[in-house]
Amino acid sequence: MLARDEIIEIVQHTVAEVAGVYETDVTLDSQLQHDLGLEPDDCEEIAAHLQGSLESHIAPDDLFPDGSTDEMTVHSLVNALEEKFGAI
């Protein structure tokens, strides 16, 4: 079972890797598209990375219900994971 801090760490690492930025540039308030340059095409890659890290099935729709990174934040991803899995 993962604690919220661990989930945040995994999400920040994943987003930084996919976006090609430093982890220190990825905060909970970072907007995926506007701040980190992620595009809707990156949704599948983020879901795949998180699925591998969390060893649990995660579909892009679980994290990105409208199929877009627009207006989403790192905090949104963390909340979506917690909502989907509860306490992992």
Side-chain angles (χ1 to χ4, degrees):
M1 184 183 302
L2 294 176
R4 181 174 173 82
D5 289 344
E6 292 172 303
I7 295 170
I8 291 169
E9 210 172 284
I10 290 168
V11 169
Q12 286 176 314
H13 173 78
T14 298
V15 169
E17 189 171 312
V18 174
V21 299
Y22 294 108
E23 281 187 51
T24 54
D25 293 335
V26 181
T27 67
L28 287 175
D29 293 328
S30 296
Q31 288 190 336
L32 300 181
Q33 187 169 2
H34 300 289
D35 296 332
L36 302 172
L38 292 169
E39 296 295 328
D41 294 347
D42 296 316
C43 296
E44 287 186 32
E45 188 173 354
I46 290 170
H49 278 261
L50 289 172
Q51 181 170 297
S53 296
L54 297 171
E55 299 178 353
S56 194
H57 176 73
I58 301 171
D61 290 347
D62 295 334
L63 304 175
F64 307 96
D66 65 355
S68 172
T69 56
D70 191 38
E71 301 300 319
M72 286 201 65
T73 63
V74 172
H75 192 256
S76 301
L77 286 178
V78 171
N79 288 344
L81 284 172
E82 286 186 325
E83 187 175 305
K84 177 171 174 53
F85 297 107
I88 297 176

